Amino acid sequence: MKLLLATNNAGKQKEICALLEALEIELILPREIGLDLDVTEDGETYRENAALKARAFAEASGLWALADDSGLEVDALDGAPGLYSARYAPVPHPTDADRRGHLLRELTAHSRPWVARFRCVAAFTHREGKIYHAQGVCPGEIIPQERGEGGFGYDPIFLLPHKKRTMAELTMAEKNQLSHRARAIQALRPTLLEIIRPKVV
Ligand code: ITT
């Protein structure tokens, strides 16, 4: 059975492929089937945006599609950037460095610790079929200096206090043990297996 990863984010693609590696499911990336879709994420929740992405990719491909909507929530900023994490920087096509720089500028007026969490909602569906969801959360803290080369997005400034390392200082295997995305995909795994993996008789 084939499963299309309904994301254009290369960092997410790598992590999800590794997370689902052991399952007997053939994972397909959008570019492998010539699919170039930019879904308008105008939902009011992660769940709605994940569903919009999963549905759009499933309809365009005819395959089962798995989407991820995620974001970083910082308490001192009342939960921002949250749903707007990808668009968070006052420039037209922000890079990860632009987003991190903007976040740190917004935080300078606030005292530390800058308590934060990553949140992810994974969703999968097939054309007009039911949409299955699961959520994962990873708590941590934002720090003012970047540390580490791994991961993507806000990882170099997201500290895991119990590990004394940022998310970017973990290997991908370590990140996949505890990240918001790993927790969401883990929670969705039994449903994925039951629904799309062919039964072995
Ligand atoms: P797709 O919609 O194509 O999946 P995207 O990057 O636009 O890709 P989102 O809309 O879910 O994805 O935006 C989430 C943003 O939150 C992402 O661009 C990163 O800036 C940040 N983010 C999400 N997960 C992260 C992680 O594991 N580590 C660091 N930053 C993360």
Side-chain angles (χ1 to χ4, degrees):
M1 186 60 83
K2 292 180 178 173
L3 176 65
L4 176 66
L5 296 193
T7 173
N8 297 313
N9 180 314
K12 289 185 184 181
Q13 288 177 354
K14 279 190 210 135
E15 289 176 17
I16 297 171
C17 284
L19 283 163
L20 296 179
E21 205 175 21
L23 307 188
E24 285 162 24
I25 296 173
E26 187 186 346
L27 300 174
I28 313 275
L29 300 178
R31 65 168 180 274
E32 292 171 344
I33 52 167
L35 199 55
D36 183 15
L37 262 191
D38 187 14
V39 181
T40 307
E41 297 182 35
D42 54 5
E44 289 179 5
T45 59
Y46 296 101
R47 191 180 159 119
E48 283 177 19
N49 281 340
L52 283 169
K53 291 187 263 190
R55 177 74 79 212
F57 278 81
E59 281 178 358
S61 65
L63 298 169
W64 281 92
L66 172 68
D68 158 323
D69 198 56
S70 43
L72 172 70
E73 301 168 352
V74 184
D75 288 355
L77 302 176
D78 298 324
L83 214 56
Y84 305 99
S85 294
R87 294 162 262 178
Y88 193 64
V91 291
H93 300 288
T95 62
D96 282 344
D98 292 331
R99 296 180 185 99
R100 294 192 297 268
H102 184 60
L103 177 67
L104 292 178
R105 281 191 294 281
E106 293 291 304
L107 280 170
T108 47
H110 299 269
S111 54
R112 290 180 66 194
W114 297 324
V115 173
R117 70 205 57 77
F118 277 123
R119 191 180 299 278
C120 173
V121 173
F124 84 102
T125 192
H126 183 249
R127 291 211 165 137
E128 282 109 54
K130 180 174 155 58
I131 299 187
Y132 300 87
H133 296 93
Q135 180 174 224
V137 174
C138 179
E141 184 187 321
I142 301 301
I143 53 165
Q145 271 94 36
E146 303 202 351
R147 282 170 35 187
E149 305 292 326
F152 66 94
Y154 299 90
D155 284 346
I157 53 170
F158 188 86
L159 182 75
L160 297 150
H162 61 290
K163 294 227 169 249
K164 297 188 172 61
R165 285 190 283 165
T166 66
M167 202 74 117
E169 290 177 307
L170 303 183
T171 62
M172 188 171 70
E174 288 171 324
K175 180 174 176 184
N176 272 350
Q177 298 273 322
L178 52 72
S179 79
H180 48 308
R181 179 162 304 103
R183 289 175 176 157
I185 301 282
Q186 187 63 25
L188 208 51
R189 222 176 126 106
T191 321
L192 261 173
L193 282 178
E194 193 184 319
I195 293 179
I196 70 167
R197 199 169 76 169
K199 303 265 180 297
V200 181
V201 216

